[in-house]
Amino acid sequence: MEQLKKYNTAFVETVGVSEDQLPGLVYQATSGWDSVGHMQLMTQLEDAFGIALEMEDILEFSGYEKGMDILRKYGVEI
Amino acid sequence: MNAPFSALYTFKNFTDLTEQESDEVLRGRNDPEVRRWMASDRAISADDHGRFMSGLRGNPHMVYMRIERAGRFAGVYSLNDLAASSGLGGFWVTADTRERLLALNVVFQGMDYMFRGLGIERIYGRQKQDNLSAIRLNALLGLVPSESNTASVGGMQQIEITKQHWLQSTAQDAKLLKLMNRMEALNGTT
């Protein structure tokens, strides 16, 4: 539950949407999740979970749910 | 102090471009993935491009810089209505730059070149008050609403940044530098 809270907080603070808008959210579906917002989201997730994402995963991080799958590769279970 | 990663970036005035470099600028500008982010999505003809490039020569009120990162064309930063070391900033980045999440870095480098390289004292611009992307990018780069012109006309707000603010604040912003540094490291030197 704590992990989900950190994950959601990163989205809310960088992409600028409310938590109830997160399910199904995909990259560039909202003006806040543009390329700059994506960079901010990635670095905030790295800080929150103490990981360093690979470029390939940053580019494949295309949505809220997809991101959970990607973080699992880094040992982060949400 | 040099800007971070500045060794990776090179700048060339449009008035000094080779024909090949000029053609690459035109192709980049006409890329649909670039045009969709611009105020006008109209494609520019080769003739219009040629006339524009010729018109820049000897024009003290406009400067257009072609930016390369690690030898690859990355984008353009420009100043229009240039007078008394103050100009209207503008930019576009290539589709490749955007895909590689380097847009912020390229715009930062363009502005840094204007301030440190060309000695510009003030850059100003306008932003739509409902354009969250532009507002966030401008805020990251230290462009804030003008004190001298706070009125919003047609939903557009004037913003500006001085060289002093750039050097003392934006270019020292640890959070911003960390963000850009991360993207530079991920993209490497190619």
Side-chain angles (χ1 to χ4, degrees), chain A residues 43-76:
Chain A
T43 51
Q44 185 149 336
L45 288 172
E46 288 182 332
D47 289 345
F49 295 110
I51 58 174
L53 294 163
E54 298 289 335
M55 187 62 176
E56 182 184 15
D57 291 323
I58 288 177
L59 295 178
E60 286 183 6
F61 201 114
S62 56
Y64 175 74
E65 284 81 9
K66 175 74 176 177
M68 292 181 182
D69 293 338
I70 288 172
L71 291 192
R72 199 167 293 125
K73 289 168 55 179
Y74 296 84
V76 177

Side-chain angles (χ1 to χ4, degrees), chain A residues 4-22 25 30-34 36-45 47-48 64, chain B residues 132 136 140 175 179:
Chain A
L4 178 62
K5 191 175 178 185
K6 282 200 280 187
Y7 187 69
N8 287 352
T9 298
F11 271 90
V12 170
E13 289 182 356
T14 60
V15 177
V17 296
S18 58
E19 264 191 75
D20 62 320
Q21 293 175 292
L22 292 175
L25 187 68
T30 175
S31 62
W33 198 356
D34 60 0
V36 174
H38 193 64
M39 289 164 55
Q40 293 179 306
L41 174 61
M42 295 301 106
T43 51
Q44 185 149 336
L45 288 172
D47 289 345
Y64 175 74
Chain B
L132 180 61
R136 177 169 50 193
L140 279 169
K175 203 170 177 182
L179 188 64

Side-chain angles (χ1 to χ4, degrees), chain B residues 30-43:
Chain B
N30 280 341
D31 185 327
E33 280 302 309
V34 171
R35 283 191 281 134
R36 67 189 281 251
W37 296 96
M38 305 194 79
S40 165
D41 65 355
R42 184 179 68 88

Side-chain angles (χ1 to χ4, degrees), chain B residues 59-91:
Chain B
N59 185 338
H61 304 295
M62 296 166 82
V63 58
Y64 278 72
M65 300 302 304
R66 175 190 149 108
I67 305 169
E68 285 191 4
R69 180 190 181 277
R72 189 192 300 213
F73 175 44
V76 170
Y77 198 91
S78 62
L79 291 176
N80 277 274
D81 301 332
L82 194 53
S85 292
S86 175
L88 174 65
F91 67 88

Side-chain angles (χ1 to χ4, degrees), chain A residues 26-38, chain B residues 28-43 90-101 103 107 126 128 131-137:
Chain A
V26 294
Y27 180 48
Q28 294 189 339
T30 175
S31 62
W33 198 356
D34 60 0
S35 64
V36 174
H38 193 64
Chain B
R29 168 63 179 76
N30 280 341
D31 185 327
E33 280 302 309
V34 171
R35 283 191 281 134
R36 67 189 281 251
W37 296 96
M38 305 194 79
S40 165
D41 65 355
R42 184 179 68 88
F91 67 88
W92 58 267
V93 299
T94 64
D96 176 65
T97 294
R98 195 175 294 278
E99 281 168 18
R100 300 170 79 192
L101 304 175
V107 179
R126 294 182 190 92
K128 283 186 80 172
N131 187 339
L132 180 61
S133 292
I135 291 169
R136 177 169 50 193
L137 179 64

Side-chain angles (χ1 to χ4, degrees), chain B residues 115-148:
Chain B
F115 285 126
R116 292 190 223 234
L118 299 185
I120 297 299
E121 291 293 333
R122 175 177 169 266
I123 294 175
Y124 60 92
R126 294 182 190 92
Q127 65 186 11
K128 283 186 80 172
Q129 288 182 298
D130 61 355
N131 187 339
L132 180 61
S133 292
I135 291 169
R136 177 169 50 193
L137 179 64
N138 289 329
L140 279 169
L141 293 166
L143 283 146
V144 295
S146 305
E147 286 181 14
S148 58

